[in-house]
Amino acid sequence: MIDFRSDTVTRPTAAMAQAMAAAPLGDDVFGDDPSINALQTYAAEKFGFAGALFAPSGTMTNLIALMSHCQRGDEAIVGQQWHTYKWEGGGMAVLGSIQPQPLAHQADGTIALTDILGAIKPDDPHFAKTRLIVMENTTGGQVLPLSYMQDVAKLAKEKQLSAHIDGARIMNAAVALTGKDTPAADEIWAQARALVQGYDSVSVCLSKGLGAPVGSLLLGSEDFLKRAKRVRKMLGGGMRQAGMLAAAGHYALTHHVERLSEDHQNAQRLAQGLHDIAVELGLLPQFSVTLPQTNIVFCDLEANLAQYFVAELAKNNVLCISSSYQSNEQQRAKLRLVTHLDISTSDIMKTLAISRTLLQDWRP
Ligand SMILES: *Cc1c(COP(=O)(O)O)cnc(C)c1O
């Protein structure tokens, strides 16, 4: 099986499984789990924060952050397509009584600073209290530039707002921002620290490109984490002997950061290869490919072609996600293919060979 649906599908490597089996354990609700404590200390130091909190998922670390920054009736500024707004079941409103203020994106994935400024409400009883700005990096595989991230952090400070990064794939952003094809781990961490500087909290997924089976981290100040710990307990995220999971995350942060550039290169190979096939077969308007900045490839297809292609790929044990949409009277679909630890360069070559055959056989 070549599974491009998400970078969440990875299984622990043998070495990671060994680290999990060997992890010393305790009750983390009492703060007694040495493996969780070690992971939190390590991550805090690497990202340049006072501390970190381990939780079961990125959805939960985001919600903990939102509920630790905002009170009932406060407002959080978010992107229209962002996970915190669109893909987390409306958790901030349902569970946090927080009002989201979604804003439209620019083509590069950023939200214009003037739009953010314009959405900050004056202190007036008609309005919810704007309390928090949320960023997401990477967002849909796109990297928000360092200078932009710094501008938003500065704006938040000036307006006395808190700022949170949904950094589910922040290490992918850091890799891309080194500007190198195969950056060393130290160079990647330096970029990661620069990206999160000036922000009050960051959520990081260990279970995506980093390859751990479960877990996310929330980074922040001591004061923030004290509140966060209470919210985590409230949401049912206080785990007991979860050191085995933390050991996987710790292994991921120490062994799988540098290799992320392989996923980016594989995504490039895949996108370039699919584009070349589309050109060669004269399929271009029906089948267009966006060159990726990190590990997520998007293709935009005419709907019938997408349906055929995705179904036939699946028969050949190649999986990807397709979502259809309406565009200028035409039904189209976006395919998403994500590269990760369990996809090799030879899997990319196999996928391209299968794709060529399938697309050659396509008859509208
Ligand atoms: C995956 C993801 C999350 C949530 O992580 P889960 O561990 O799946 O809950 C949050 N934000 C972004 C941008 C993500 O891609």
Side-chain angles (χ1 to χ4, degrees):
M1 188 72 73
I2 305 177
D3 194 344
F4 289 107
R5 288 173 303 168
S6 178
D7 45 10
T8 56
V9 301
T10 56
R11 310 292 164 91
T13 61
M16 181 182 277
Q18 227 166 32
M20 294 171 76
L25 304 178
D27 187 324
D28 183 50
V29 173
F30 292 117
D32 283 351
D33 190 293
S35 302
I36 291 182
N37 291 338
L39 167 66
Q40 291 175 166
T41 304
Y42 179 80
E45 194 219 309
K46 281 298 193 186
F47 282 100
F49 276 90
L53 195 64
F54 184 62
S57 71
T59 299
M60 191 183 281
T61 43
N62 277 329
L63 183 57
I64 293 170
L66 283 151
M67 290 177 68
S68 302
H69 287 302
C70 301
Q71 298 297 311
R72 178 167 184 258
D74 286 348
E75 178 181 82
I77 293 175
V78 289
Q80 194 77 52
Q81 298 298 330
W82 286 359
H83 213 277
T84 37
Y85 175 59
K86 195 173 174 183
W87 301 90
E88 295 180 1
M92 79 165 92
V94 177
L95 300 165
S97 298
I98 300 160
Q99 165 165 286
Q101 166 62 73
L103 297 175
H105 301 265
Q106 311 292 302
D108 67 356
T110 64
I111 301 169
L113 292 175
T114 48
D115 289 346
I116 296 177
L117 266 174
I120 298 170
K121 315 283 184 294
D123 186 1
D124 174 315
H126 288 91
F127 302 128
K129 264 191 194 151
T130 309
R131 180 78 67 194
L132 175 71
I133 302 176
V134 180
M135 285 287 118
E136 179 174 304
N137 207 359
T138 61
T139 181
Q142 281 185 304
V143 182
L144 307 191
L146 178 58
S147 60
Y148 173 77
M149 295 297 287
Q150 290 170 337
D151 288 344
V152 172
K154 199 167 133 226
L155 188 154
K157 209 139 267 148
E158 276 165 17
K159 297 290 172 188
Q160 292 178 303
L161 303 175
S162 297
H164 170 72
I165 303 175
D166 176 357
R169 295 189 179 90
I170 194 123
M171 299 313 290
N172 294 90
V175 167
L177 286 170
T178 64
K180 297 188 178 176
D181 285 343
T182 53
D186 282 350
E187 299 173 280
I188 300 167
W189 280 113
Q191 286 295 328
R193 274 191 294 280
L195 266 179
V196 303
Q197 222 202 338
Y199 284 82
D200 299 290
S201 56
V202 184
S203 158
V204 180
C205 283
L206 301 166
S207 59
K208 294 204 166 153
L210 291 169
V214 179
S216 284
L217 286 164
L218 180 60
L219 298 124
S221 69
E222 262 172 48
D223 190 44
F224 169 81
L225 289 172
K226 216 173 134 189
R227 282 176 277 142
K229 220 165 168 176
R230 172 169 279 117
V231 177
R232 183 182 69 173
K233 189 77 187 104
M234 195 199 309
L235 296 176
M239 297 185 284
R240 304 293 177 173
Q241 286 74 25
M244 273 187 260
L245 303 176
H250 203 149
Y251 185 91
L253 285 180
T254 46
H255 291 80
H256 292 167
V257 165
E258 200 165 289
R259 64 154 305 286
L260 286 174
S261 62
E262 292 173 31
D263 299 341
H264 294 192
Q265 286 171 348
N266 278 335
Q268 282 290 334
R269 278 187 195 105
L270 179 64
Q272 193 62 56
L274 287 172
H275 173 75
D276 291 347
I277 293 168
V279 171
E280 185 191 312
L281 300 177
L283 285 173
L284 217 42
Q286 286 158 278
F287 191 125
S288 75
V289 186
T290 309
L291 282 183
Q293 295 176 4
T294 56
N295 68 328
I296 306 182
V297 176
F298 283 104
C299 305
D300 193 307
L301 275 68
E302 185 275 317
N304 291 322
L305 175 55
Q307 200 177 16
Y308 161 82
F309 188 52
V310 172
E312 293 298 318
L313 279 177
K315 285 184 201 159
N316 285 276
N317 294 318
V318 178
L319 301 184
C320 69
I321 284 179
S322 167
S323 55
S324 55
Y325 71 101
Q326 185 75 31
S327 157
N328 301 335
E329 333 254 305
Q330 200 192 38
Q331 202 57 37
R332 293 191 68 95
K334 265 197 182 12
L335 306 194
R336 189 181 89 145
L337 300 102
V338 187
T339 56
H340 51 74
L341 187 60
D342 288 352
I343 289 189
S344 64
T345 303
S346 99
D347 290 333
I348 301 290
M349 296 310 163
K350 263 187 238 165
T351 301
L352 289 173
I354 293 166
S355 299
R356 177 183 302 273
T357 307
L358 293 177
L359 292 170
Q360 270 167 348
D361 293 347
W362 158 248
R363 296 289 173 271

